[in-house]
Amino acid sequence: MLGDVALAVNSADTRYKALIGRMAMHPLLKKDIPIICDDALVDPAFGTGVVKITPAHDANDYVCAQRNGLSTVQVFGKDGKIVNTLDFTEFVGKSRWEARQLVIKHLTAVCAYLGKRDAEESVVSICSRSGDVIEPMLVPQWYVRCGELGRHADNLVSSGDVDIIPTRQKVIWHNWLAGITDWCVSRQLWWGHRIPMYQIRWSSTLDRPVLWVAAESEHQAREKALKVLSAAERDAVASMGEEDTVCTVTQDKDVLDTWFSAGLLPLTTFNDPNADGSGALAPHTGSNGKTALSAILETGQDILFFWVARMTMLCTYFAKIPPFSTVLLHQMVRDAQGRKMSKSLGNIIDPMDIIDGAELSKLEDTLKRGHLSKEELKNSTKELRRLYPQGFQRFGADALRFALIMCTQQTQQINLSLDNVKASSHFCNKLWNAFRFVHMHAGKLEMSSESRIAVKNGQYEAWMDVLDRAHMTVFDRALLSRLDVMMKVYKRAMETHRFAVAAEAVRDFVQRDLCDRYIEVCKPALFGSMEGRKFQELWQRHARDGAKDDMSVMQSGWQTQNSTCLFANDTPAEDETEASILVFGVISGIRSLKQQNPERLAVPADGGSAFTVAVMSLGDVNEQQQMLQVVVSHKECIQRMSREQGVCIHALDRNEEASKAAGAGPADGVTSVVVSPHVHVFARLADRQDDDVPEQNAECASALATTAAKLEAEIAKLRRMVASDGYQKKAPAAVKESDR
């Protein structure tokens, strides 16, 4: 209150409108202070609608004083005690708490104290270490004028010289820089880059005020100081030495803001020192064709302004070139519930605990070592025990990395769940087991001398050229075709920074095409002949000839092809790839039916199979015959992989009953799996003797009817969409073909 210099009201408040421009008597200082109008500061609905202005000890009040030309009155110093001025004679030397009680006493004495009431909600800054109230006060600080710097950095993004991914962050970039204010770079800390500003105090011979100069050293500061003297002053001190002219040179004790120091990173990292000690910045042309010091910066979106914008402003000012051509912002990692990780919540996940594993006791010890109050520690420990009662099992670094990459398809944040890490761990194990399987049986493969030489030298393109395609099975060709598709998807995704899409393509290929399909097909060929059919070269381990022993897998390059396809000019026919998918679909269908009905399969008395593969005729007899030929030619493969001998294969007319195709009798039931519109897998089921079978059948029929109705509605919806004019005009050809 001792530092109040005005009262502010809102112009829309009719209670005080007549008082705007008049003066009010300060009850303690006994002097007039103005009543001003400031709609930006005063909310008429909050409290009394009148705000007293204390510019020296409130940031908002200081801005208000700047707008209205008010003076500032400092009340207390850094020690928290009232400063020695003529206006505060009775309060000088008192602590802020003592002074407040003394203020109430004086107000009561002059009948100006009307009592105490519950205060409105307000934000009071509390020191996290001492628990004391933080009192704002004016102190000299160093600022960087950011108006022109901000406009230039904003123009770099709007002009395309710097690209920001995702693009929605460009709006945030513009909003920040368009309204940027001067940047306070002074920090009163014990560490950091000390501000290179020197205070020059002159000798008593010169009647000059204190001077501040920017310099690299005290000696340079003295030289700069002497250059500002006028000719008359230089003549007056001609007989004096330099030391007598400049009394003291003192460097400012403040250090630079951390983000200022971090903003200098491109200027130091990409500085190419020459032999003579000088340096030069080496420009780089990014993927967008723009010149910058580096191609891409990957960082978190939460420091887009604090760090990325500061680097851009400082680098373009000093080096006249952007620090990077592309900024890739990743999402923020949260807990499984989407909450920010904090010690007070007890939901912090240390990456090393996921990699190496950690028991609950270790996680609790980590909390105890943090700076938490007793109440926070109690609540955090309770939440920790609820979220992770068994602690963390050991998943490894690869699983954590892959889980994070897969989660980048989420929008603004990554909700990290241990279930995701566990799933990624299973994938890593599958990849490792597949690699071991190939190495274990690599000696059984028949390889030409040309192939062996190509693999040994790491010439994979040459290896593809010498493959004996004449002896490839449909599975060999289908696998290489799927590998080619995967690599194309991977390449496009990496070029567009869609890492989740790239990771998903690799995962699907390894799990589905390689492990679940191809390796399973290979096993009969490796452990026993299958009609004498030979499966040609599978994979060979990565040749390390010429590689350093300590080389990391992250340093090895991705295998590329001169051609866009692994088969060069011999692209596998599309129907061969579809044939392999059809065969695997039949195998999966039989397995699924066996798992669903383990005790109800009606095996014929002659020892045949309960399963029938029916190839439907949907009007195109030729297509039916082609699919029938695929299934028949791979019958042994289907039986081996499904572990079901005697599987029947029939061509079925659209009007023919399923029970007839499956060979079911009057007392038998039939269940089926749809592999494709043309191919169905039927299983003959024995009649159930349970009393509740009719009720169960009724429930099953009702559920099937409901599902069928939903599917029919979905099909009708899709047909309407496909038939619409907008779809026909705008949808890409690939999408139309897929929907068809």
Side-chain angles (χ1 to χ4, degrees), residues 438-446 452 540:
V438 172
H439 277 271
M440 189 182 303
H441 303 288
K444 300 179 182 180
L445 303 176
E446 297 180 4
R452 294 184 183 278
Q540 291 299 307

Side-chain angles (χ1 to χ4, degrees), residues 427-618:
F427 167 72
C428 293
N429 289 337
K430 181 177 284 288
L431 182 62
W432 171 249
N433 290 332
F435 188 78
R436 291 183 60 196
F437 176 84
V438 172
H439 277 271
M440 189 182 303
H441 303 288
K444 300 179 182 180
L445 303 176
E446 297 180 4
M447 298 183 65
S448 63
S449 58
E450 295 88 349
S451 296
R452 294 184 183 278
I453 294 174
V455 171
K456 181 179 180 181
N457 296 330
Q459 300 171 347
Y460 292 96
E461 295 170 12
W463 174 57
M464 297 302 302
D465 292 337
V466 298
L467 280 176
D468 187 0
R469 296 173 178 79
H471 292 84
M472 282 188 181
T473 66
V474 64
F475 303 111
D476 298 326
R477 296 174 62 83
L479 177 74
L480 293 178
S481 176
R482 296 300 301 169
L483 175 61
D484 181 65
V485 172
M486 182 274 290
M487 292 184 67
K488 289 178 179 177
V489 173
Y490 179 91
K491 183 179 179 181
R492 287 195 300 268
M494 293 299 291
E495 289 174 348
T496 55
H497 311 294
R498 296 179 297 154
F499 303 121
V501 176
E504 187 176 14
V506 174
R507 183 197 62 186
D508 291 346
F509 172 79
V510 171
Q511 288 186 334
R512 180 187 60 200
D513 299 308
L514 176 59
C515 296
D516 295 347
R517 293 179 178 174
Y518 190 73
I519 288 183
E520 290 300 317
V521 171
C522 289
K523 287 180 180 178
L526 292 172
F527 303 125
S529 63
M530 190 168 71
E531 295 181 350
R533 190 174 300 154
K534 294 184 294 184
F535 288 82
Q536 296 298 323
E537 303 163 21
L538 302 178
W539 296 269
Q540 291 299 307
R541 59 194 175 113
H542 190 289
R544 295 188 57 84
D545 297 70
K548 297 179 180 179
D549 293 337
D550 59 348
M551 178 179 287
S552 167
V553 67
M554 292 184 288
Q555 295 175 272
S556 61
W558 178 261
Q559 301 301 328
T560 60
Q561 298 78 39
N562 294 328
S563 172
T564 57
C565 179
L566 287 170
F567 289 92
N569 298 322
D570 185 21
T571 304
E574 182 180 353
D575 56 352
E576 289 188 329
T577 302
E578 294 180 352
S580 68
I581 296 176
L582 176 61
V583 173
F584 287 122
V586 172
I587 296 169
S588 299
I590 295 176
R591 289 176 173 178
S592 176
L593 291 176
K594 291 178 68 174
Q595 185 177 7
Q596 295 173 8
N597 307 277
E599 299 178 359
R600 290 197 60 206
L601 296 176
V603 180
D606 58 0
S609 174
F611 294 94
T612 298
V613 180
V615 182
M616 307 287 191
S617 172
L618 301 182

Side-chain angles (χ1 to χ4, degrees), residues 262-314:
L264 300 175
L265 178 68
L267 298 172
T268 55
T269 303
F270 301 108
N271 186 44
D272 186 15
N274 299 322
D276 58 359
S278 62
L281 295 172
H284 175 87
T285 302
S287 58
N288 58 358
K290 304 299 182 179
T291 302
L293 290 183
S294 61
I296 187 170
L297 169 72
E298 198 282 338
T299 187
Q301 60 187 9
D302 59 325
I303 54 175
L304 174 64
F305 178 72
F306 294 107
W307 189 37
V308 181
R310 266 67 180 273
M311 279 194 289
T312 306
M313 291 191 297
L314 295 177

Side-chain angles (χ1 to χ4, degrees), residues 633-649:
S633 62
H634 295 88
K635 179 178 179 180
E636 183 177 354
C637 175
I638 292 173
Q639 292 182 149
R640 283 179 177 270
M641 295 187 65
S642 64
R643 297 183 180 180
E644 186 67 29
Q645 298 298 318
V647 175
C648 299
I649 302 174

Side-chain angles (χ1 to χ4, degrees), residues 599-602 665-670 684-690 693-694 697:
E599 299 178 359
R600 290 197 60 206
L601 296 176
D668 297 330
V670 175
R684 186 170 55 180
L685 304 179
D687 189 21
R688 303 185 77 167
Q689 304 298 324
D690 300 337
V693 167
N697 288 342

Side-chain angles (χ1 to χ4, degrees), residues 333-338 341 349 354 388 400 403-404 407 410 414-421:
V333 180
R334 310 292 190 186
D335 68 3
Q337 288 77 37
M341 294 187 185
I349 298 179
I354 296 180
Y388 313 112
L400 177 59
L404 290 174
C407 290
Q410 301 177 15
I414 295 176
N415 295 343
L416 182 60
S417 169
L418 292 185
D419 293 336
N420 296 337
V421 183

